[in-house]
Amino acid sequence: MKKQEEKCDMLRLDKQLCFPLYACAKEVVRRYKPFLDELDLTYTQYITMMVMWEKKEINVKCLGKILYLDSGTLTPVLKKLEWKGYLTRERSKEDERNLRVMITDKGIKLKGLAEEVPMKVGKCVKLEAEEAEQLYELLYKVLGCMDA
Amino acid sequence: MKKQEEKCDMLRLDKQLCFPLYACAKEVVRRYKPFLDELDLTYTQYITMMVMWEKKEINVKCLGKILYLDSGTLTPVLKKLEWKGYLTRERSKEDERNLRVMITDKGIKLKGLAEEVPMKVGKCVKLEAEEAEQLYELLYKVLGCMDA
DNA sequence: TCCTTACGTATTGTGTACAATTTAATTTAC
DNA sequence: GTAAATTAAATTGTACACAATACGTAAGGA
């Protein structure tokens, strides 16, 4: 019965990596809400804009690969951001299957308003710089070492 | 303009902890799906049952504190698990505001079918035991050091 | 060319998440 | 002892997240 008991113990929240990962991600994202509310952005819209600020133009497939999101999630988010005037969407002339997502001037201006967000959230999470760096490395390691 | 540029750089996915955390959590949870499908459980139902296997009985408030979920999320999940026969829900006699959630025999039996899940998922995530331990510690540290 | 296959996006359906509000029960204040 | 405040769940509304499917376009092969 020893082996049985060991297996049982595995089925506890505090024995599995998945749970602190899941809980921690939700709690950290929640810390963004008050600051993103000021910009009238959701977290998903925010990370989408972060990619747009860097890339200026991209298609949905590419964006999804960067954000780990599929078109089912991105399509409504992109339509909303287009409606808000931060980006435009149009089919590529060369290949009509591709949707070109392009940032607008208003979208570029939004970046100025968002600049303080990372710092503000950082203050809510009291982690030493070294620990943050360690965590960062480990998370990217996990992202890289999972089966496809 | 140096300062301006430094601020700009912060607004990149690869400069912020939040994004790998968010992406990693989603990807790890996704790894559970094929194994949980065999049990006809969603991830949220699974972690709820993990608490129930340990506690046998609990109220919604308490469960929510453990899982970092509120009644708006838990109520439908608990109703579904009750419908599946894994637990029962009834108001407490001492304080009618409290809902007593109790595991059933069928719920207890389900644990036997779930025992292999953590090990199966563990094989998909190729992380050294030491690194997993480090990550675990850091995540709980973050959970503990955030402003309420 | 026509047919098949692959590809990129959109749509649909289910299940979370969570803020805000509501409802009912209990506690506290006076 | 009752009104006011507090509490626990449930409900409502918005926004993901993602599998599965549908749809249109493009590419490759006979």
Side-chain angles (χ1 to χ4, degrees):
Chain A
M1 268 304 154
K2 188 73 200 310
K3 198 177 167 202
Q4 174 75 2
E5 276 170 20
E6 277 167 13
K7 272 198 212 168
C8 286
D9 280 344
M10 286 304 293
L11 280 174
R12 290 171 50 122
L13 289 180
D14 57 7
K15 296 293 176 196
Q16 293 189 51
L17 253 179
C18 73
F19 181 71
L21 202 48
Y22 159 86
C24 202
K26 281 194 311 172
E27 290 303 304
V28 170
V29 167
R30 199 214 302 274
R31 294 304 180 287
Y32 280 81
K33 192 172 188 319
F35 309 120
L36 294 182
D37 277 351
E38 293 173 21
L39 308 179
D40 188 32
L41 285 180
T42 64
Y43 181 74
T44 314
Q45 289 166 13
Y46 170 67
I47 58 176
T48 301
M49 288 308 298
M50 287 181 68
V51 176
M52 294 311 299
W53 287 324
E54 192 181 346
K55 305 287 187 184
K56 312 300 182 200
E57 175 178 337
I58 196 170
N59 65 38
V60 176
K61 181 80 174 180
C62 224
L63 185 58
K65 194 159 284 180
I66 294 173
L67 294 177
Y68 291 83
L69 292 172
D70 70 4
S71 71
T73 302
L74 283 176
T75 296
V77 169
L78 294 173
K79 282 181 177 175
K80 193 67 178 275
L81 288 172
E82 180 182 40
W83 179 83
K84 288 182 180 177
Y86 297 135
L87 41 84
T88 57
R89 305 182 322 128
E90 68 178 50
R91 292 283 169 181
S92 164
K93 288 286 186 299
E94 299 89 58
D95 185 340
E96 293 260 354
R97 289 173 303 184
N98 283 275
L99 189 79
R100 295 172 62 204
V101 181
M102 290 164 292
I103 195 163
T104 62
D105 286 347
K106 189 176 174 187
I108 292 172
K109 284 205 190 77
L110 183 65
K111 187 176 181 180
L113 304 175
E115 274 167 353
E116 305 287 341
V117 172
M119 189 263 295
K120 286 177 181 168
V121 173
K123 281 186 182 169
C124 297
V125 182
K126 293 155 182 53
L127 206 60
E128 298 296 328
E130 193 191 339
E131 291 173 324
E133 180 65 25
Q134 248 186 18
L135 179 52
Y136 180 93
E137 298 290 345
L138 283 167
L139 289 169
Y140 271 108
K141 194 161 208 168
V142 173
L143 277 173
C145 78
M146 274 185 288
D147 293 340
Chain B
M1 268 302 159
K2 187 74 200 309
K3 199 175 168 205
Q4 173 76 0
E5 275 171 21
E6 277 167 12
K7 273 197 209 167
C8 286
D9 281 343
M10 286 304 293
L11 280 174
R12 288 169 52 121
L13 289 180
D14 56 7
K15 297 291 176 196
Q16 293 189 50
L17 252 179
C18 74
F19 181 71
L21 202 49
Y22 158 86
C24 201
K26 281 194 312 169
E27 289 302 304
V28 170
V29 167
R30 199 214 300 275
R31 294 304 180 287
Y32 280 81
K33 191 171 189 317
F35 309 121
L36 294 181
D37 276 351
E38 292 173 22
L39 308 178
D40 190 32
L41 286 179
T42 64
Y43 181 73
T44 315
Q45 289 166 11
Y46 171 67
I47 59 175
T48 302
M49 288 308 299
M50 286 181 68
V51 176
M52 294 311 298
W53 288 324
E54 191 179 348
K55 305 287 188 186
K56 312 299 182 202
E57 176 178 337
I58 197 169
N59 66 37
V60 175
K61 181 81 174 179
C62 223
L63 185 58
K65 193 158 285 180
I66 295 172
L67 294 177
Y68 292 83
L69 292 172
D70 70 3
S71 70
T73 303
L74 283 175
T75 296
V77 170
L78 294 172
K79 282 182 177 174
K80 192 65 178 274
L81 288 172
E82 181 182 39
W83 179 82
K84 287 181 181 178
Y86 297 136
L87 41 84
T88 58
R89 305 181 322 129
E90 69 178 48
R91 292 281 169 183
S92 163
K93 287 285 188 296
E94 300 88 57
D95 186 340
E96 293 261 354
R97 289 173 304 183
N98 285 276
L99 188 80
R100 296 171 62 205
V101 181
M102 290 165 292
I103 195 163
T104 62
D105 285 345
K106 188 177 174 186
I108 293 172
K109 283 204 190 77
L110 183 64
K111 187 176 182 181
L113 303 175
E115 274 167 351
E116 306 287 339
V117 172
M119 189 264 296
K120 285 177 182 169
V121 173
K123 283 186 181 169
C124 296
V125 183
K126 291 153 182 57
L127 206 60
E128 298 296 326
E130 193 191 337
E131 291 173 323
E133 180 64 26
Q134 249 186 19
L135 178 53
Y136 181 92
E137 298 291 346
L138 284 168
L139 290 169
Y140 270 108
K141 194 162 209 168
V142 173
L143 277 173
C145 78
M146 274 184 291
D147 295 338

